[in-house]
Amino acid sequence: MANMMIKKQLRSISLPSRSHPSTSGIEEALNKFKTTNSNKSSSASILTGLAALEELYDCTDEFLNTSSTQRVMSTVGSDFMEEMLDGSLRLMDICSVSRDLMVETQEHVRDLQSCVRRKKVAGGGDQVNVAVSGYATFRKNMRKASKKILGSSKTIVGVSSSYDNGQCDEHLVAVIDAMRRVDVVSDVVLKSFLEFLSGRQSNIKRKLASVLKKKKDHHEETKNELESLDSAIRGDLCFCDYLQEKLEEVEMIIGGFEKNLEGLLRRLIRTRTSLLNIISH
């Protein structure tokens, strides 16, 4: 159901009929999502998406702090500003929870790695069994938390009919379109990340293409690194080198996720501050 909601809301977002010089930086950053070179929601494509979001929010904050943007945004109604603030808060919450999940995952993975190494040197499997049980329980809770966020996420609204391109200032329309597209792309990337954690099949390129009006691509279903580790544990391979290999793969991607989510959260906070400054002035 979450996937259907995402597809529906993305179809409701249309690109502006014309761009404005003031939004060129954001347009350029958004265009980079078109070059996502993975045809599935792999860890690599999600890491690329998160890194691209960091760059996008650097451009967004620069955009919000220009005098021309501040001037035109001060003329929009309170409904739009509330929409932007609500969106920023929602994205901050998702990013914060996701980062915390990565920190906890890293702790469990390193604990399990340590137990496996001690097992190979000194023997005895009790500690490994306890660590495996703890990780399996955590993964179950992680999937539940991810699905809960996906299920409770609000639908992003499309361009409001109260802002008619033919009746409003061109600059104002460009600002509204740009900010909403930033919100939608951010939502898509973070939801794809949550689907990665929950084990749902996802396609970040297909969803981003819907936002950016690019042709959809087919994708091949495959297990991600977390699911491969789950399979290793369920397959009673806890004392094999295979498990250690899968733990190393997970540790690597989790470290990347944690770093990018932390960087993105800082930028989301900064953007929210810029929005609040515009309102207060």
Side-chain angles (χ1 to χ4, degrees):
M1 182 172 289
N3 280 338
M4 292 177 63
M5 288 176 62
I6 294 171
K7 291 176 183 177
K8 182 178 180 180
Q9 68 195 41
L10 292 183
R11 283 196 297 267
S12 70
I13 302 295
S14 59
L15 300 184
S17 58
R18 56 184 181 273
S19 60
H20 190 276
S22 67
T23 64
S24 59
I26 290 182
E27 295 289 342
E28 183 178 348
L30 284 167
N31 285 337
K32 291 188 177 181
F33 287 93
K34 293 181 180 180
T35 62
T36 303
N37 58 9
S38 174
N39 63 355
K40 57 185 179 298
S41 192
S42 65
S43 58
S45 66
I46 294 175
L47 281 167
T48 298
L50 290 172
L53 279 186
E54 291 185 68
E55 183 176 345
L56 175 60
Y57 275 94
D58 284 335
C59 295
T60 300
D61 192 63
E62 182 178 347
F63 172 67
L64 289 174
N65 282 284
T66 61
S67 58
S68 61
T69 300
Q70 291 176 349
R71 183 171 58 254
V72 74
M73 287 191 73
S74 66
T75 67
V76 300
S78 60
D79 287 348
F80 174 72
M81 295 307 293
E82 285 184 18
E83 176 189 324
M84 291 295 99
L85 289 173
D86 287 346
S88 71
L89 186 59
R90 181 191 66 253
L91 293 171
M92 285 168 53
D93 286 343
I94 294 175
C95 193
S96 179
V97 170
S98 299
R99 179 204 55 188
D100 291 346
L101 285 173
M102 293 303 92
V103 172
E104 290 187 69
T105 303
Q106 195 76 285
E107 292 174 354
H108 280 280
V109 167
R110 287 174 178 171
D111 183 43
L112 190 48
Q113 282 179 313
S114 178
C115 290
V116 170
R117 284 194 293 266
R118 286 198 297 270
K119 161 65 180 174
K120 293 177 69 174
V121 173
D126 289 345
Q127 288 184 325
V128 174
N129 291 336
V130 171
V132 165
S133 178
Y135 177 78
T137 300
F138 169 71
R139 270 288 285 153
K140 182 178 180 181
N141 293 333
M142 176 199 287
R143 287 192 292 268
K144 285 183 178 179
S146 301
K147 291 176 182 178
K148 182 178 179 180
I149 297 173
L150 286 167
S152 62
S153 295
K154 293 181 178 180
T155 301
I156 298 178
V157 298
V159 177
S160 172
S161 59
S162 62
Y163 297 101
D164 186 338
N165 286 26
Q167 298 178 10
C168 286
D169 176 79
E170 181 181 344
H171 190 188
L172 173 60
V173 172
V175 167
I176 292 172
D177 284 336
M179 292 302 298
R180 281 181 170 150
R181 290 170 65 202
V182 168
D183 199 31
V184 171
V185 169
S186 304
D187 192 76
V188 169
V189 174
L190 288 173
K191 283 185 176 179
S192 292
F193 172 73
L194 290 169
E195 289 175 341
F196 180 92
L197 299 186
S198 69
R200 294 185 182 185
Q201 292 297 331
S202 177
N203 188 334
I204 188 173
K205 185 174 184 179
R206 187 178 67 236
K207 292 176 184 177
L208 289 173
S210 298
V211 179
L212 300 166
K213 299 300 183 184
K214 188 176 181 181
K215 184 179 179 180
K216 296 181 179 180
D217 294 317
H218 297 293
H219 70 291
E220 178 183 316
E221 295 185 354
T222 185
K223 288 183 179 179
N224 62 47
E225 291 85 349
L226 289 172
E227 292 171 318
S228 294
L229 179 56
D230 292 341
S231 295
I233 290 175
R234 286 195 302 267
D236 197 26
L237 298 172
C238 301
F239 309 108
C240 300
D241 290 338
Y242 179 72
L243 175 60
Q244 191 168 14
E245 176 187 334
K246 294 305 172 184
L247 286 168
E248 289 173 357
E249 290 177 359
V250 169
E251 182 182 28
M252 182 176 298
I253 65 162
I254 293 304
F257 285 149
E258 182 183 342
K259 178 181 177 181
N260 285 342
L261 287 165
E262 179 64 36
L264 178 58
L265 181 59
R266 289 197 301 268
R267 286 163 173 81
L268 287 169
I269 293 172
R270 188 174 63 193
T271 296
R272 182 174 176 80
T273 300
S274 296
L275 289 169
L276 290 170
N277 287 338
I278 291 174
I279 291 175
S280 64
H281 290 85

